[in-house]
RNA sequence: GGAGGGAUGGCAGAGCGGUCGAAUGCGGCGGUCUUGAAAACCGCUAGGCGAGAGCCUCGUGGGUUCGAAUCCCACUCCCUCCGCCA
């Protein structure tokens, strides 16, 4: 969230930003609540001050019963007033917070203007899509031929957008996780295996809630939700803490299963495992000082880390600078990496690299004490290192051979017992 | 699932109706002494709102009371024991 004082002083800027980001927020109502709250709070504070004065007077009255009883009578009156003011104060606070959580972050000047995903700007394109001297298959046909995928029985178990990986596909999946994890760990990131279930505050802190609530699975009996990314759990980790400046930056690489309801995507990407309810992901996460330049540097280096992974997997890709209309509310700026998917003859998103300045830190209350002893909100960033299903699609489709087997890029082989090929010829 | 115990500042830990935003120790910062360092000694050291006076915060939310860290209720989390279990 943004600093309330900043919103108060820049209401027109907030409205403008909301418009550019195609997001609805009632700034006027928010400011009205803010002013009501301040007024009620002032009244309540006056009464509390009076209550404190009377409380001291009662003590000092000692055995002077008459004076004492007089103060107690006054105290009762003050308490009655507060009994009216305080619930109003709490209610206004809650309503204000509700609107406040909907105020989006301010995009960086380098974020392109645009209405939606078609306006994202391609920053670079790396590697040429392969030309096949045979008829390439899509990942579903390929995996079926190899007996690596069972969508029908998965649907029987868990409904649509489920899948069963089978045989060497499972080994490939796990190898990819290990591969990504080990490469990021090598860069000094601390690996984490975090809970895939988290409490509500983690989702609010991360900005998944309140918008996007319907994209999250909830476990109502236990007041928990399934995370759509390890990012949610990692944001929760340091919530409410004041970190030491010398411990920054904190570099994490988290591994977790990811759960997504994909509500409202009926009919979209229905074939295969591109858009599924569950996958695994290795996620990069950075907590750094409240410094724009440093955030930008980390944003670029998280992108570079992800690119190295994609390059090592020998996948053609491009990088997009996400436009205002397509950028998540919490982000200052975001890059997506899209890998080439031969069967679709286009690039599809596999990575998402974001920085937030202190937007998440304010929501999750993550701070640090700087050199002067001042307590500040940290900056947070994250980027995918590798997401299982989409990377499997890209890998299989791009590296398939005419006989239906798949060539394994050299960098991945150590994680597959040195094998250069996966699958038995079947075409 | 059953039975107990607990949650206080960066950490440890006292306080159990008013003089408590809170003893003490450790840690941190500054100083004295010293060629320098250590030791010793002295001082400072929670966060938030507010221009300020002031207000709020002792796990969270309610309640009792003129007044709650302290009493009552609910919830969350942690620990110990029993049961179950990968």
């Amino acid at each position: 969230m943004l600093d309330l004082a900043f919103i108060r002083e820049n209401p027109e800027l907030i409205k403008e930003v909301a418009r550019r980001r195609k997001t609805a927020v009632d700034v006027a109502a928010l400011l009205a609540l803010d002013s009501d709250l301040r007024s009620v709070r002032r009244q309540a504070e006056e009464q509390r001050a009076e209550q404190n004065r009377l409380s001291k007077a009662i003590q000092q009255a000692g055995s002077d019963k008459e004076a004492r009883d007089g103060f107690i009578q006054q105290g009762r009156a003050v308490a009655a007033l507060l009994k009216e003011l305080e619930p109003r104060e709490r209610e206004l606070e809650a309503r204000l917070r509700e609107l406040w959580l909907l105020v989006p972050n301010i995009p960086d000047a380098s974020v392109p203007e645009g209405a939606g995903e078609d306006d994202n700007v391609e920053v670079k394109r790396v590697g040429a899509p392969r030309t096949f001297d045979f008829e390439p298959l899509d990942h579903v046909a390929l995996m079926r031929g190899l007996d690596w995928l069972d969508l029908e029985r998965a649907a029987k178990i868990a409904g649509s957008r489920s899948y069963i990986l089978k045989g060497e596909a499972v080994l490939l999946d796990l190898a990819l996780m290990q591969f990504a994890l080990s490469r990021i760990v090598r860069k000094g990131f601390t690996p984490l295996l975090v809970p895939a279930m988290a409490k509500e505050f983690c989702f609010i802190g991360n900005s998944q809630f309140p918008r996007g609530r319907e994209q999250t699975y909830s476990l109502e009996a236990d007041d928990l939700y399934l995370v759509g990314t390890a990012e949610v759990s990692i944001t929760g980790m340091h919530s409410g803490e004041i970190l030491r400046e010398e411990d920054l930056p904190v570099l994490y690489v988290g591994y977790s299963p990811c759960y997504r309801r994909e509500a409202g995507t009926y009919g979209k990407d229905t074939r295969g495992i591109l858009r599924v309810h569950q996958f695994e992901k290795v996620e990069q996460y950075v907590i750094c000082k409240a410094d724009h330049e440093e955030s930008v540097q980390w944003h670029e280096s998280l992108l570079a880390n992800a690119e190295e992974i994609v390059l090592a997997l020998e996948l053609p890709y491009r990088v997009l600078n996400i436009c205002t209309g397509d950028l998540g509310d919490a982000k200052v700026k975001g890059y997506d990496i899209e890998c080439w998917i031969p069967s679709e003859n286009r690039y599809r998103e596999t990575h998402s690299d974001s920085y937030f300045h202190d937007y998440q830190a304010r929501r999750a209350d993550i701070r640090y004490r700087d050199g002067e002893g001042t307590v500040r909100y940290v900056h947070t960033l994250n980027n995918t290192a590798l997401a299982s299903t989409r990377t499997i699609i890209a890998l299989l489709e791009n590296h398939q051979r005419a006989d239906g087997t798949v060539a394994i890029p050299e960098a991945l082989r150590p994680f597959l017992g040195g094998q250069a090929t996966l699958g038995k010829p079947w075409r």
Side-chain angles (χ1 to χ4, degrees), chain A residues 235-253:
Chain A
T235 298
M237 275 176 74
H238 294 293
S239 175
E241 297 183 8
I242 298 176
L243 307 172
R244 302 187 312 172
E245 186 176 34
E246 56 265 40
D247 292 335
L248 300 179
V250 174
L251 309 179
Y252 287 134
V253 54

Side-chain angles (χ1 to χ4, degrees), chain A residues 148-281:
Chain A
W148 281 3
L149 183 67
D150 187 341
L151 294 171
E152 293 71 22
R153 292 195 180 91
K156 180 160 100 181
I157 300 167
S160 65
R161 299 205 188 284
S162 303
Y163 58 95
I164 296 169
L165 294 187
K166 202 174 164 189
E168 286 180 298
V170 177
L171 305 181
L172 174 61
D173 181 304
L174 294 176
L176 284 168
M177 293 297 110
Q178 285 269 47
F179 159 76
L181 204 51
S182 71
R183 287 185 86 99
I184 304 299
V185 166
R186 213 188 293 157
K187 294 183 182 290
F189 289 61
T190 304
L192 299 173
L193 198 156
V194 295
M197 304 183 286
K199 298 186 188 192
E200 189 182 44
F201 80 88
C202 301
F203 291 80
I204 291 173
N206 210 54
S207 225
Q208 254 70 24
F209 290 178
R211 284 204 170 102
R213 215 177 182 105
E214 69 287 349
Q215 295 301 339
T216 303
Y217 287 103
S218 67
L219 305 170
E220 277 166 38
D222 299 286
D223 252 338
L224 290 168
Y225 302 83
L226 296 182
V227 302
T229 162
E231 179 195 341
V232 174
S233 304
I234 298 174
T235 298
M237 275 176 74
H238 294 293
S239 175
E241 297 183 8
I242 298 176
L243 307 172
R244 302 187 312 172
E245 186 176 34
E246 56 265 40
D247 292 335
L248 300 179
V250 174
L251 309 179
Y252 287 134
V253 54
Y255 166 80
S256 81
C258 304
Y259 299 93
R260 303 192 177 181
R261 288 190 67 227
E262 296 295 347
T265 61
Y266 310 109
K268 200 172 173 186
D269 302 321
T270 49
R271 184 166 167 82
I273 59 172
L274 185 80
R275 190 176 294 280
V276 287
H277 289 309
Q278 176 188 324
F279 58 96
E280 297 125 72
K281 182 156 60 70

Side-chain angles (χ1 to χ4, degrees), chain A residues 311-322:
Chain A
L311 278 169
L313 294 176
E314 300 168 31
L315 299 171
Y317 68 95
R318 63 174 187 165
V319 176
L320 298 180
N321 185 357
I322 305 304

Side-chain angles (χ1 to χ4, degrees), chain A residues 281-284 302 306 309 350-353 382-387:
Chain A
K281 182 156 60 70
V282 175
E283 179 81 1
Q284 310 176 71
L302 291 183
I309 283 174
T350 54
H351 296 70
S352 186
D353 180 26
N382 62 73
N383 186 12
T384 318
L386 195 155

